[in-house]
Amino acid sequence: MKKTVLALGASLALVTAANAADLPRRQPVPAYPTEQAPIGKMPIGKSPVGKAPIGKAPGPVAARY
């Protein structure tokens, strides 16, 4: 009888702890910078995407160890 009560108590404690871990918590509000974000200031055309010569294969890739 004593073992059964101890096992039920331990099981109840485990289930209670698992249930409490699943409860939703409020997240803190993100801290935004005080200055306004630069809108429309992205450097369009400055990235190397699409800058390769058209129709020419890139050079061989040689591994250096």
Side-chain angles (χ1 to χ4, degrees):
M1 178 72 179
K2 190 175 184 181
K3 288 183 182 180
T4 307
V5 171
L6 184 63
L8 285 174
S11 297
L12 181 65
L14 182 68
V15 168
T16 304
N19 191 22
D22 288 336
L23 292 175
R25 294 191 183 104
R26 292 193 63 154
Q27 298 295 320
V29 178
Y32 293 109
T34 57
E35 58 194 46
Q36 185 68 20
I39 296 179
K41 301 293 184 182
M42 184 163 178
I44 304 295
K46 303 286 184 176
S47 65
V49 176
K51 300 285 185 169
I54 305 295
K56 294 184 180 179
V61 177
R64 291 185 237 166
Y65 295 103

